[in-house]
Amino acid sequence: MADGSSRSLLAPAREYTKNQSAWRGQRSTYKLPTLIFTFLTLLVACIIASIFILLRSHEHPVGSWAIRPSILLSVLAGIYPIALSGLFTAGVAVVWWRSITHGTTLKTLHYINAGASPKDIPGAFLAGGHARRVALGALVVFAAKLTIGPFLQQATKPELRDITRDITMSIRIASEIPDGAFGTVSAFQPQGIGIQQDTFFGYNLTVKDGAQFHCPGNGTCEGNVTAAGINFVCSSESAPFDLFDPGENFSTVFSIDMELQPETSPPQLLFDSTYISAVDDNCIGTLTTTNCNIILATMLYPVRIRNGILRPNFTHVFHNPTTAIVKNYTSAGDAEMENPKAFMGPLRGALEAVGMIYRTKAHLIQRQIDGIDVVGYNFMTEDRSAPFWANMFLNTSLLGDPGRAEFIRRCPLVWYSPVEYVMTVVLALMFRTAYALSPELTGNQTFDAVYSGEELWNITDFGWLAASVAVMVCGIIATMLLLWGWWQLDHYTSLSPLETGKVFGAPILTNAGPEQEARAIIREIGHERVAHDGDELVWNGTVYATGVAATTRNARDPFSDDHRLSSLDTRMSAQSSLRGKGHRRGMSSVSDSSPSQARPSFEHSLGVTTRRPYDDEAELDSGQYGRPRSRSRGSDAIPMLPLSLSPVSGGSPQLPPIPPTGTIRMEAFGPTPRPRKGSRGEFDPLAGGKRPLSKIEERGSPSP
C-alpha cells in the first residue's frame, strides 16, 4: 500500500464530465446468477444427454447410429470440463469476495485464489477454512475432469451377437425377357453369348450399380424376388430293361434332348431325357423316360444374399413350380420360324444356349470278356451332340459296394437323373438374363428379407454409467458449495486485477470512481498507459514508488546519504505531481557496453528516476557514473537548485521551492549519459536517452 504522499502524486488522466456526486457506479447484479444458471444448465444437460445416449444405444446395432455413441460421449466429456471450470472459477471469485467482505487476512485471500492451482493446494489447506474449501473443491473438480472421459468410454462397448431381423431390400431385375435379348433367329449376339458363358461357368451374381441388396455386415439375407423364368410340367415313365437281351443291343440307355415347338399356342420348349435309373443283381435295369413341356412365366425365386453376392435357389423352384409361378406370358419371337433376321425369343434362346450343349445319346454294347458276358455303353456321334454327358451323369457310387460284386463286374450301368440339373440350368439362364438386362428394361423391385448373422451391437455397462453420473454430480456439488452465498454480493465479481486492485485502494485506479466491475473500470480508465521497471511504477507522468529501495540499503541507517537521497527522490516526486505537466518517460540501460544487462527506466521532469543512481557502492566512490539529469523540451537549461538534505525539525529532507510559472530544465550533477545505440524505440536527444512513455508500445510480453 502506498502512503499519503504517494497518493498525492497521482494527477487525473483526463477531465471527467460526470457529476461526481451523482456517479454511483454500475452494479450488474444479474450477470452472476445468469452465468451460474448457464453453466449449471450445461452440466445438467451433459448428464442427461450421457444417460440418454447410453440407454438408447443399449443393444442396438452400431450401424444404426449415424454418429457412434462413443464419439458423442467424447464430445460431452469435453463440454463437461469446460462448463465445470467456468462454474468453479465463478465459485472461487465468490469465496474470495465474501471472505474479504466479512474480514480476513491477506494470506487467506492469496490462498483462496492460489488454491485453485495444484501447486498451491498444500498451502491452501493450511491457510484457513475458506482457502481449504477452495482446495477441496479444486481436488474434486480435477478428479471429475480427469475421470469423466474414461468412465463414459467404459460405459459403452461394441459386442458381436447372433441376431435375426426383418429388413427391406431393393433389386433391379426384369419380370419378363423381351425378344432379342439373345440375338436374332440366325445369330447369337454377344450379350446372349455372355449370359450363356456366365450360366455355364457358374459365375457369381454380384451387386450392380444402384442396387441396394448388399446384406449388412457378414450376415445372410434371405427373401423372394420376382423375375423372369419358366413354367413347366414334367412326366416320367419307367420300364424293365434286360441288359443281356440280344434285342436290346445298341438301344439307347442314356439321352438328353431339347426341341422347340413354335407352332403350338403358346410356343413350347420340349425337354426329353432317358436313362437307366436302377439295376439289380441279375442285370435287369429300370429304364426311365422323362418329358417336360416348358413355357415362359414370371416366377418367385427364393434368393440368398451374402457379401454382395446373389444366389437364387433354383432347386427349390424346380421342386415347387406351382407355388413359384406368378404369371405366364408369351413371346412373338418364339413363334417366328421363317425370318432369320427376326429377334430371337426367350425359349429359342434357351434352346440355343443350353439345349445344344447338353444334347447327348449313349447306346448299349453287349460283349464277352474272359468268357464272361458283360455290358457297357458307347457314345452316339450324331450331329451337334455332346457324348461326354453320359460319363458326367454315370452313378459311380454303386461301384464301391462290396456286396454287389456280380453287378459291378457284369453290368455297372446306372445313371443319375439329368432332369433336375438341366432344368435348373434353364432357370438360371432365365434369371441371369433378366438380371443382365439394361436398367431401361428392368424395374426397381423392393422385397422383404430376413437378416441373420453376427452384428456389432452397442452394449451399455450400467455400473460404469452409474459411476460416470456420480462423478459428474460430485463435480457439480463441489462447485456449487463454493458458490453458496453469491446472493450476498451486490455486483458481478471476478478476480480481475482491476477489481482486486480497486478493492485494495490502488491509487492508479482511483480515477475509475465508484466503479467496481472490471468492464466498467476499463471503460473509465482502460486507455491509461503504465510501465514498470521491477521497482517502481510510472503512470500519468508520475513515479509511484513501491518502497523497494527503502527496505534494502537504507534500512540500516535512516540518516545515511542513501536514505537522504531516497527521501529526496520521493519528495521531488511528490512535488512533481502538483504540476501535472512536463513529465517524460523513456527507456535506458545500466551500461551502454552491456546490452544484455539493459532494463527499463523512466525519468521524471524534476530529476527523479526509477533507476537507482548507483547500483554499486564502488561506482559511487569511483565516480564512474554521474547523477542522472532531465531535460524539458523547448526550454533553456536551468541548473538544479541546491538541495538541503538535512532533515528539518526531525522531518524528511525538503526540496527547494519550485517557481510558480515557466518551464524548468534541469541539469544533472554529473556528465550526461550517452544514449545507448541499438535500443528499441525512438530517442529524443533532449530526453537524455529516455524513451517517452507515450511511445512505449503495448506488447504481449515484456521486452527491454
Side-chain angles (χ1 to χ4, degrees), residues 253-508:
V253 291
F254 181 85
S255 68
I256 299 174
D257 194 16
M258 297 183 73
E259 181 182 359
L260 178 65
Q261 292 184 343
E263 67 278 1
T264 62
S265 181
Q268 297 181 18
L269 182 65
L270 301 181
F271 171 75
D272 298 326
S273 175
T274 301
Y275 59 96
I276 297 177
S277 59
V279 175
D280 59 17
D281 293 338
N282 297 321
C283 293
I284 303 300
T286 301
L287 185 66
T288 302
T289 302
T290 302
N291 300 311
C292 295
N293 294 56
I294 303 171
I295 61 175
L296 298 176
T298 300
M299 308 185 71
L300 197 62
Y301 292 88
V303 295
R304 174 178 293 183
I305 304 167
R306 182 182 177 89
N307 296 329
I309 297 176
L310 178 66
R311 297 185 183 278
N313 190 346
F314 301 118
T315 302
H316 177 81
V317 175
F318 172 77
H319 290 288
N320 302 276
T322 55
T323 59
I325 301 303
V326 177
K327 66 175 183 178
N328 298 327
Y329 73 95
T330 59
S331 171
D334 291 330
E336 183 62 46
M337 294 182 294
E338 297 180 358
N339 185 5
K341 295 183 179 181
F343 287 129
M344 184 183 298
L347 292 179
R348 187 179 294 272
L351 176 62
E352 297 290 337
V354 178
M356 300 304 176
I357 292 176
Y358 290 101
R359 177 177 292 175
T360 186
K361 183 180 290 189
H363 60 271
L364 180 67
I365 301 294
Q366 298 174 352
R367 62 182 182 269
Q368 284 188 344
I369 300 177
D370 297 333
I372 300 175
D373 293 333
V374 298
V375 294
Y377 64 92
N378 195 7
F379 303 119
M380 302 292 291
T381 56
E382 296 179 357
D383 186 26
R384 296 200 303 175
S385 64
F388 56 84
W389 287 113
N391 290 343
M392 299 300 294
F393 287 99
L394 183 66
N395 187 353
T396 59
S397 63
L398 299 178
L399 301 181
D401 188 355
R404 303 191 65 187
E406 187 69 17
F407 158 75
I408 296 172
R409 187 167 63 92
R410 298 183 63 198
C411 50
L413 300 181
V414 179
W415 280 269
Y416 294 109
S417 172
V419 177
E420 179 178 343
Y421 176 80
V422 175
M423 292 295 293
T424 54
V425 171
V426 175
L427 288 170
L429 177 73
M430 293 297 180
F431 187 91
R432 288 178 179 272
T433 305
Y435 185 75
L437 293 177
S438 62
E440 293 79 9
L441 301 176
T442 61
N444 195 27
Q445 180 184 156
T446 300
F447 64 98
D448 295 329
V450 177
Y451 172 82
S452 59
E454 290 184 338
E455 193 172 47
L456 200 62
W457 279 32
N458 293 309
I459 304 300
T460 298
D461 190 320
F462 292 97
W464 285 106
L465 171 59
S468 302
V469 174
V471 166
M472 290 191 283
V473 171
C474 288
I476 296 176
I477 293 175
T479 54
M480 292 304 295
L481 289 178
L482 298 180
L483 290 165
W484 182 262
W486 60 265
W487 54 86
Q488 298 176 0
L489 304 176
D490 62 345
H491 64 285
Y492 174 72
T493 58
S494 69
L495 292 181
S496 168
L498 298 180
E499 294 185 13
T500 56
K502 185 68 186 305
V503 76
F504 281 120
I508 194 173

Side-chain angles (χ1 to χ4, degrees), residues 67-82:
I67 302 176
R68 291 188 177 182
S70 58
I71 297 177
L72 296 176
L73 293 175
S74 298
V75 173
L76 294 176
I79 295 175
Y80 176 84
I82 295 174

Side-chain angles (χ1 to χ4, degrees), residues 134-154:
V134 172
L136 287 173
L139 288 176
V140 175
V141 170
F142 293 156
K145 292 193 292 186
L146 181 65
T147 59
I148 186 59
F151 278 26
L152 286 177
Q153 291 300 318
Q154 287 290 335

